[in-house]
């Protein structure tokens, strides 16, 4: 793959902007009981809450991967869609009197690369800054949930989780004290491409190389893989790396119990799970606003049910949602679906806490 290396015409800036609480708005219901609660009423700037949202407002990985850019604008719009969702009764009952401890907004890592070319080191710097924010939340006992942005968020999410676990566990100097990490990715693409630079198509190959360099096994399960979205070379590499591939056709035609057991068996092999959802695993009719729309895809109900199964393990320590592209959205449909999945992750984590 050839990547355009046109020199940037403007200065690229990487910044960590604080939470914009003006995004957290919703309907007021003064005539209802106090149980008419919405997430916008609970969200606070992040200060060691159970959940820490952190945005990755970066398009550079998508641009390098020759995709359609625009995902950088997604994080605040996903928040806005999530803010209007109700807080379910089970959570209100379980955390009665402690609702302010549930959700914190840690702001956005912003990659301002307003140009059509290759911005040297931009993505890499953004990933490191984002990883630092993720690491802080993990070390403080929270579940970081990343909001992309392109799927280059995945390498940053993994690095942040790794850094937190390494700092917590590596007291002897051994390279094998970090708990075994398993990655579950809902995605039409394997994202293990070879390239001379990082892109939105390389993160899981980069993770494999990182783990190999540290003497750790690579446990990667990709759910929703399309045979029309991956070359034979990518499937060869997946086999070489021992990737567990569950295709989009498997998700449609194999019995639920069979697939659930495969995923549970994968979860049982590892200590910790990093869960990532590339929204292009869903059909373009459901999520039109993504960087690479899917002609087939897997059903939203299947994704939600599998996410609940994975979250029930109690092993998920990092999660993110990637590739929402508001430029191509219709009636905020894609952001609403992302908010639905975000709510599923949040609810299941808190109920199992």
């Amino acid at each position: 793959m050839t990547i355009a290396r046109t020199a940037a015409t403007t200065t690229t800036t990487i910044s960590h902007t604080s939470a914009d609480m003006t995004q957290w708005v919703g309907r007021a219901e003064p005539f209802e009981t106090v149980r008419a609660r919405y997430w916008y009423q609970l969200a606070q700037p992040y200060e060691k809450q159970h959940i820490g949202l952190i945005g990755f407002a970066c398009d550079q990985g998508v641009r390098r991967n020759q995709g359609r850019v625009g995902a950088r604008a997604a994080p605040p719009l996903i928040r806005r869609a999530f803010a209007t969702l109700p807080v379910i009764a089970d959570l209100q009952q379980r955390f009665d009197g402690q609702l302010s401890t549930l959700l914190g907004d840690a702001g956005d890592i912003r990659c301002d690369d307003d140009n059509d070319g290759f911005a040297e080191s931009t993505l890499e710097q953004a990933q490191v800054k984002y990883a630092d924010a993720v690491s802080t939340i993990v070390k403080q006992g929270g579940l970081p949930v990343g909001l992309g942005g392109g799927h280059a968020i995945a390498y940053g999410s993994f690095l942040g989780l790794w850094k937190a676990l390494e700092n917590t566990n590596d007291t002897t100097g051994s390279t094998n004290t970090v708990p075994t990490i398993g990655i579950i990715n809902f995605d039409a693409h394997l994202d293990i491409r070879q390239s001379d630079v990082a892109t939105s198509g390389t993160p899981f190959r980069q993770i494999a190389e990182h783990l190999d360099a540290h003497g750790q096994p690579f446990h990667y399960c990709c759910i929703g893989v399309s045979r029309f979205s991956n070359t034979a070379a990518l499937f060869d590499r997946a086999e070489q790396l021992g990737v567990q591939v569950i295709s989009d056709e498997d998700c449609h035609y194999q019995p639920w119990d069979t697939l659930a057991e495969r995923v549970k068996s994968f979860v049982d092999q590892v200590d910790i799970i990093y869960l990532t959802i590339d929204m292009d695993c869903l059909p373009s009719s459901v999520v039109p606003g993504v960087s690479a729309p899917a002609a087939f895809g897997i059903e939203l109900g299947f994704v939600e049910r599998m996410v609940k199964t994975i979250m029930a393990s109690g092993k998920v320590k990092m999660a993110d949602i990637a590739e929402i592209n508001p430029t191509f959205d219709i009636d905020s449909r894609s952001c609403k679906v992302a908010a639905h999945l975000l709510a599923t992750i949040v609810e299941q984590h808190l109920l199992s806490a």
Side-chain angles (χ1 to χ4, degrees):
M1 180 182 64
T2 302
I3 298 173
R5 297 297 181 88
T6 306
T9 57
T10 58
T11 301
T12 300
T13 303
I14 307 297
S15 60
H16 186 175
T17 58
S18 58
D20 178 5
M21 300 311 295
T22 64
Q23 299 288 339
W24 293 94
V25 294
R27 64 184 297 161
E29 299 198 68
F31 304 107
E32 279 288 1
T33 70
V34 293
R35 280 163 62 83
R37 293 183 185 273
Y38 297 89
W39 282 106
Y40 82 88
Q41 296 168 307
L42 272 56
Q44 304 286 335
Y46 177 74
E47 290 183 358
K48 300 183 181 181
Q49 287 93 342
H50 290 280
I51 304 284
L53 301 182
I54 177 70
F56 185 73
C58 182
D59 266 330
Q60 179 64 207
V62 176
R63 179 176 286 115
R64 294 181 185 183
N65 202 36
Q66 303 180 31
R68 54 184 195 174
V69 298
R72 188 179 72 183
L77 298 180
I78 297 172
R79 285 186 182 89
R80 196 176 300 173
F82 176 71
T84 63
L85 299 182
V87 182
I88 61 174
D90 287 349
L91 280 182
Q92 293 193 47
Q93 182 175 344
R94 177 160 186 173
F95 291 93
D96 185 32
Q98 299 178 307
L99 293 176
S100 63
T101 69
L102 300 189
L103 183 69
D105 186 346
D108 291 336
I109 305 303
R110 292 195 54 81
C111 174
D112 294 319
D113 59 337
D114 293 320
N115 63 85
D116 294 326
F118 179 91
E120 192 76 37
S121 301
T122 299
L123 173 59
E124 293 78 4
Q125 292 171 21
Q127 286 171 324
V128 169
K129 201 169 189 69
Y130 167 79
D132 288 341
V134 165
S135 179
T136 296
I137 296 170
V138 174
K139 287 188 286 188
Q140 292 177 342
L143 173 70
V145 181
L147 305 176
H151 213 178
I153 191 176
Y155 190 56
S157 290
F158 170 83
L159 285 181
L161 179 60
W162 175 273
K163 180 179 178 181
L165 297 174
E166 187 176 43
N167 288 348
T168 300
N169 292 278
D170 193 359
T171 58
T172 65
S174 169
T175 59
N176 293 313
T177 57
V178 177
T180 304
I181 301 170
I183 302 152
I184 300 179
N185 178 27
F186 290 86
D187 203 332
H189 308 89
L190 289 161
D191 286 347
I192 51 175
R193 288 189 178 187
Q194 292 284 15
S195 175
D196 60 340
V197 292
T199 76
S200 61
T202 65
F204 303 104
R205 177 187 57 77
Q206 293 174 266
I207 292 171
E209 292 172 353
H210 177 100
L211 288 167
D212 183 62
H214 289 82
Q216 288 273 25
F218 180 52
H219 294 281
Y220 176 35
C221 175
C222 195
I223 303 172
V225 177
S226 170
R227 61 190 174 97
F228 297 111
S229 299
N230 300 272
T231 64
L234 289 172
F235 282 111
D236 290 344
R237 188 165 302 116
E239 186 175 359
Q240 293 164 5
L241 292 171
V243 179
Q244 183 167 157
V245 176
I246 299 176
S247 73
D248 52 0
E249 295 175 48
D250 291 337
C251 296
H252 279 277
Y253 303 128
Q254 287 198 12
W256 163 259
D257 289 346
T258 300
L259 297 179
E261 283 305 313
R262 285 182 64 183
V263 173
K264 288 177 183 176
S265 176
F266 176 86
V267 170
D268 288 343
Q269 296 174 40
V270 299
D271 301 314
I272 283 174
I273 292 291
Y274 158 40
L275 172 65
T276 177
I277 303 174
D278 186 321
M279 296 297 291
D280 72 19
C281 71
L282 296 158
S284 58
S285 58
V286 177
V287 284
V290 290
S291 299
F296 188 48
I298 56 179
E299 295 179 355
L300 176 58
F302 174 89
V303 175
E304 181 185 48
R305 189 179 182 186
M306 193 62 82
V307 166
K308 287 181 178 179
T309 298
I310 295 163
M311 295 299 300
S313 70
K315 292 184 177 183
V316 177
K317 303 300 180 185
M318 175 69 215
D320 61 44
I321 294 171
E323 298 286 354
I324 287 291
N325 190 329
T327 304
F328 301 96
D329 207 357
I330 301 170
D331 297 331
S332 301
R333 190 185 305 165
S334 307
C335 289
K336 289 177 181 177
V337 175
H340 180 98
L341 292 172
L342 172 59
T344 301
I345 292 169
V346 168
E347 290 169 1
Q348 295 302 309
H349 176 74
L350 292 172
L351 290 173
S352 64

